[in-house]
Each structure stands twice: as structure tokens, then as C-alpha cells.
């Protein structure tokens, strides 16, 4: 009897993260107190190394950044954009780096988005 021809596996492995996702992810840990908070942001490279990254975080109404470290920022309230500084832009595949900021107000739920530069 005839047999089915063998099926070849796909030649292109799936991309993680999918194309257009920027090749990185960011998570935030917040320490809130009355009147302010500190946010530590971890930037993690995907399956490829990063040669620079940008993180965008929307702050809740009334929250204003008062201090920051290990990243350059654009904006002190509303939508803030963070970019790597010279010493933490090179991140190996699957590796991570961190930056942080202090702000007044309430953190609420901070949802960062990350993209490779």
C-alpha cells in the first residue's frame, strides 16, 4: 500500500517574542508609601541581545517623577519614556538590567512596554 511522504519540520523556528515586539520585556516592582513610591524596572532581552532599549510607562494622574537612576527619561508625569544609559544598553539574550525612579503620588498599576533601539 502507498505510504504518506514524510513531513518535514518547519525550517524557520518560531520567533520569541514575535516580530514587532521589540525583543525585550519590562516588569515593575513598586514600594508605595503615603505620598510617594519607588519603582524598580527590570528590562529583559528576548532571544536576541539588546544594543539599546526604550521603556514607556504611563503614570497615574497626580504622580510625578522626582528622581531617577540608571536610565535617561523624557517626561516627569503622564507618559514617561526611559532609555538606557551608556553602561546598561548592552543586554545579552535572556539577560536583564534594571533602572529605577522615585515619584510622588500613588503608583497604581504601572504597565511598562519595552522595545529595542
Amino acid at each position: 500500500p502507498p505510504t504518506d511522504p514524510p513531513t518535514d519540520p518547519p525550517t524557520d523556528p518560531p520567533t520569541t517574542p514575535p516580530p514587532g515586539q521589540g525583543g525585550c520585556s519590562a516588569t515593575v516592582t513598586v514600594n508605595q508609601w503615603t505620598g510617594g513610591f519607588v519603582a524598580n524596572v527590570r528590562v529583559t532581552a528576548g532571544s536576541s541581545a539588546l544594543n539599546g532599549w526604550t521603556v514607556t510607562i504611563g503614570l497615574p494622574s497626580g504622580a510625578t517623577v522626582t528622581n531617577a537612576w540608571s536610565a535617561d527619561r523624557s517626561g516627569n508625569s503622564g507618559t514617561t519614556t526611559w532609555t538606557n544609559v551608556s553602561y546598561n544598553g548592552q543586554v545579552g539574550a535572556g539577560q536583564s538590567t534594571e533602572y529605577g525612579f522615585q515619584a510622588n503620588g500613588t503608583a497604581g498599576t504601572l504597565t511598562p512596554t519595552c522595545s529595542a533601539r
Side-chain angles (χ1 to χ4, degrees):
T3 60
D4 291 333
T7 56
D8 292 324
T11 55
D12 294 326
T15 303
T16 307
Q21 294 286 319
C24 61
S25 61
T27 56
V28 180
T29 304
V30 173
N31 181 8
Q32 178 78 55
W33 63 85
T34 302
F37 63 93
V38 167
N40 289 302
V41 183
R42 178 180 292 263
V43 176
T44 304
S47 58
S48 299
L50 299 176
N51 291 315
W53 48 263
T54 300
V55 173
T56 302
I57 300 176
L59 299 178
S61 177
T64 304
V65 176
T66 57
N67 191 18
W69 51 94
S70 301
D72 290 327
R73 78 175 180 271
S74 172
N76 290 327
S77 60
T79 300
T80 58
T81 302
W82 305 84
T83 55
N84 63 277
V85 289
S86 62
Y87 57 83
N88 66 359
Q90 303 287 323
V91 183
Q95 302 298 305
S96 60
T97 188
E98 292 186 354
Y99 73 91
F101 62 94
Q102 181 174 341
N104 59 21
T106 302
T109 301
L110 301 179
T111 307
T113 58
C114 184
S115 61
R117 290 195 292 129

